[in-house]
Amino acid sequence: MARKSTDRSGRPTLVDVAKEAGVSAITVSRTIRSPEIVSAAARQKVEAAIRKLGYTPDPAASALASHSTSTIGLLVPSLTNNVFSDVLRGVYDGVEGTRYFVQIGNYRYSALEEEGLIRNFLSQRPAGLVISSMDQTPAARALLESAPCPVVQIMEIADRAVDMSVGFDQLAAVRAGARHLFDCGYRRPGFLSARMDPRAQRRLAAFRDFNEAAGVLDDRRIMTTPQPSSVGMGRLLMEQLLSRAPETDAVMCNNDDLAVGALMEAKRRNIPVPSMLGICSFNDIEMVRQMVPSLTAVASPRREIGVRAIAMLLAEIAEPGSVADRHVDLGYQMIARESTSRR
Amino acid sequence: MARKSTDRSGRPTLVDVAKEAGVSAITVSRTIRSPEIVSAAARQKVEAAIRKLGYTPDPAASALASHSTSTIGLLVPSLTNNVFSDVLRGVYDGVEGTRYFVQIGNYRYSALEEEGLIRNFLSQRPAGLVISSMDQTPAARALLESAPCPVVQIMEIADRAVDMSVGFDQLAAVRAGARHLFDCGYRRPGFLSARMDPRAQRRLAAFRDFNEAAGVLDDRRIMTTPQPSSVGMGRLLMEQLLSRAPETDAVMCNNDDLAVGALMEAKRRNIPVPSMLGICSFNDIEMVRQMVPSLTAVASPRREIGVRAIAMLLAEIAEPGSVADRHVDLGYQMIARESTSRR
DNA sequence: ACATAAAATGACAGCGCAATCATCTTTATT
DNA sequence: AATAAAGATGATTGCGCTGTCATTTTATGT
């Protein structure tokens, strides 16, 4: 025999609400999704019934019937990285108060894992996708191009974004840092970078280009490692740099952890900063400005990128094609502090 | 007319695979979910068909039919906090390679928001829930108690956990830090704490209790603020502490940000650490040990908590009631470093 | 060889909701 | 007052999968 729908789980359904309110199921559905097209009288009856029964819609049934979910997928290469925890915060601030949920995928700097995650996310019919990379595999790119939902790529400015993008000019930002060191009179600058993913590689290239043009490039002063970034790694790289190229008078660090590590290593060796060693960081998390001496940094708009990405996604979900500025450059800021201020 | 299922979305369904493989739909379903109960011959046909058609199951349909999803809900009070980003990493490491997904809810230190999120998560029929608090509203507790899925509460040891729990004895950990300062000969210890949520309150109470018993308590040396924790806040609190109680010879910091801030403020004022000022941190993120001088800390097993929580959840999902140790104490570690080492 | 148990497979219904199209009111228009 | 247009509501159907139970096939023991 057909069981009543509440029998099994004790959970009321649309039909239960409809009966309670004396309307049809579809009217209940409409009251929830677009209350403005339901008469005030019906709406009130339905709302009362919902409250009385403690009804909550079943997202699975909704997803199945409508072929879309309220999930926004977010793909990041790392959860450890401070950069992405700021982006994450922006993203969560962005969805706050909307009906959307964020699901995070961590592809751990692997393009192959990224492709798998994209496939996986798409099979869930997400409302939208935020992806923090421009370096997908061809297959992943193809998946994104034919994705049935809006996609925002974040972090870099887009010469080759699939759909929309928000970021800043990473190369110009690195050049700004290099130029700052040069302008402060440092003539033997080094470069520290961990985790040499494509983005880090590009930034290193930008650093080399600028310094080569300025006539102050020496590849002996470029210290990199494929290992993850950390403060300890910053100290290690700094140590290696100083033993290989003791003449080094400044370092550009590819992120904040490394810069703090470099500062600590300088402190341990009693190398005065900024007089004997200038330090410029990249990204500018809060800690950086609280160091003593405070660290000069190229600041990236991490949280804003997250917020804006969600805003673009939501606008595009609400009305496809409605987003006019599909490629947004949020800029960077060169913030001079004590670690490069020698007069 | 009934349309073929592939017509609309171009996406193959279970039925399409079944036809291709010459078996019934349910056999395909079983091949995916429990291949061991399908004959090798059928399995191979099905797998070939799946590959050929590029079939991916629709999680929404599965959720609707089976009344359960592959989503694990994770509720944290903050995304900014370093502590939770480590837990997050552990959680993601834990689900890595399983069929489960993590969905994060950020209740921003609000028990009311937490209750809303619990309600919301439960309406999605999650496979399990991880919750980083013991201080729910009564309504939220009731929801959790009747939740149709396993629940793990993390961070603290459980005197009143709903289902399972993983954490460590936060109060004993704080006492260990306070004792360490005492044992190092510091007799005028202060305490810095931001964001006075219930857990921070309890830790402060533990600090007071120990120091009162040791006869070295002075409430003037307890500096707190309801604002969020940050390195800058650590500096500010340290500054206020020193101006209010200049005799202070040590500080216990309620987390790493504050400790780093305290160290920086000491450095700015040329107060030698550890000789004139001892510093003990709480949690011990990587940065802390790389400071110069390196910071003594009470280390918390953050990542392990995440990993273990997921392990318990998965075991319990696989076979309800199978987890024997339902309340796990992962312990803490008192790590003495330079910032308290005065001989 | 036969009976019996176990393994493998399938038919069918239904999960809870929303798209579609049809029907019925109400309001505006001439 | 007649008619059109807009607004509100409902009946039906199916989304893609899995639970249940019945049926068929294969293995096991005597």
Side-chain angles (χ1 to χ4, degrees), chain B residues 180-200:
Chain B
H180 174 79
L181 290 178
F182 188 87
D183 291 347
C184 289
Y186 298 106
R187 289 293 178 274
R188 295 181 297 278
F191 188 84
L192 304 187
S193 181
R195 179 94 70 184
M196 295 308 290
D197 62 291
R199 186 136 59 221

Side-chain angles (χ1 to χ4, degrees), chain A:
Chain A
M1 283 298 78
R3 294 172 298 203
K4 298 202 57 96
S5 43
T6 48
D7 278 4
R8 217 183 16 66
S9 63
R11 188 171 160 172
T13 71
L14 263 192
V15 173
D16 299 320
V17 176
K19 278 184 194 142
E20 176 73 29
V23 298
S24 72
I26 190 65
T27 298
V28 177
S29 175
R30 282 196 274 250
T31 308
I32 293 168
R33 290 181 300 153
S34 13
E36 70 281 2
I37 65 167
V38 175
S39 68
R43 199 185 323 160
Q44 277 165 21
K45 279 188 296 182
V46 170
E47 282 164 358
I50 287 177
R51 267 194 307 277
K52 180 173 174 196
L53 300 181
Y55 170 75
T56 9
D58 183 332
S62 167
L64 183 59
S66 70
H67 294 287
S68 72
T69 65
S70 300
T71 302
I72 290 177
L74 171 64
L75 256 48
V76 294
S78 158
L79 288 168
T80 320
N81 199 312
N82 288 309
V83 174
F84 292 107
S85 65
D86 285 339
V87 171
L88 204 60
R89 242 178 52 218
V91 164
Y92 273 84
D93 289 351
V95 298
E96 175 70 28
T98 72
R99 65 185 200 87
Y100 294 94
F101 288 92
V102 176
Q103 212 159 58
I104 303 173
N106 175 7
Y107 59 87
R108 311 198 282 177
Y109 290 104
S110 152
L112 229 58
E113 274 199 57
E114 186 189 18
E115 182 185 326
L117 283 170
I118 291 174
R119 214 180 288 282
N120 206 319
F121 273 40
L122 287 178
S123 82
Q124 295 185 61
R125 310 179 183 282
L129 240 36
V130 180
I131 300 196
S132 62
S133 125
M134 300 281 165
D135 305 288
Q136 289 82 21
T137 63
R141 248 194 107 73
L143 283 172
L144 292 179
E145 271 159 6
S146 60
C149 66
V151 176
V152 183
Q153 282 168 282
I154 58 171
M155 301 320 282
E156 305 189 38
I157 54 168
D159 41 337
R160 57 216 157 107
V162 166
D163 182 7
M164 297 182 286
S165 67
V166 203
F168 64 100
D169 188 336
Q170 304 246 352
L171 307 189
V174 170
R175 283 195 297 269
R179 173 175 298 115
H180 174 80
L181 289 178
F182 188 87
D183 290 347
C184 290
Y186 298 106
R187 288 295 179 272
R188 295 181 298 277
F191 188 84
L192 305 186
S193 181
R195 179 94 70 184
M196 294 306 292
D197 62 292
R199 185 136 59 222
Q201 307 262 17
R202 289 194 284 274
R203 292 211 291 240
L204 169 53
F207 178 83
R208 289 190 76 257
D209 288 350
F210 177 89
N211 283 344
E212 183 152 42
V216 296
L217 178 67
D218 185 334
D219 279 339
R220 286 169 42 256
R221 292 195 298 264
I222 292 174
M223 303 296 306
T224 67
T225 169
Q227 290 182 261
S229 174
S230 67
V231 176
M233 184 51 74
R235 287 185 65 165
L236 188 62
L237 288 174
M238 191 69 209
E239 194 181 334
Q240 292 173 352
L241 172 60
L242 289 175
S243 75
R244 189 157 92 178
E247 80 282 6
T248 303
D249 65 355
V251 269
M252 171 89 211
C253 299
N254 214 343
N255 68 44
D256 297 316
D257 289 339
L258 298 179
V260 170
L263 176 64
M264 289 302 140
E265 187 58 22
K267 169 149 206 230
R268 190 184 69 79
R269 295 174 172 239
N270 289 314
I271 299 172
V273 174
S275 57
M276 293 284 285
L277 181 73
I279 299 179
C280 179
S281 187
F282 196 92
N283 280 322
D284 196 40
I285 64 174
E286 189 255 354
M287 161 179 73
V288 156
R289 112 176 126 259
Q290 302 294 344
M291 292 292 107
V292 176
S294 59
L295 294 177
T296 289
V298 185
S300 56
R302 301 174 301 288
R303 185 179 164 284
E304 291 70 22
I305 286 176
V307 172
R308 186 63 172 269
I310 295 299
M312 289 168 76
L313 221 45
L314 295 185
E316 193 70 12
I317 291 167
E319 194 173 343
S322 65
V323 174
D325 290 345
R326 302 186 80 79
H327 302 285
V328 177
D329 182 353
L330 254 27
Y332 58 87
Q333 259 189 294
M334 180 71 237
I335 304 177
R337 298 205 184 89
E338 292 164 3
S339 69
T340 54
S341 144
R342 57 172 187 191
R343 1 222 74 189

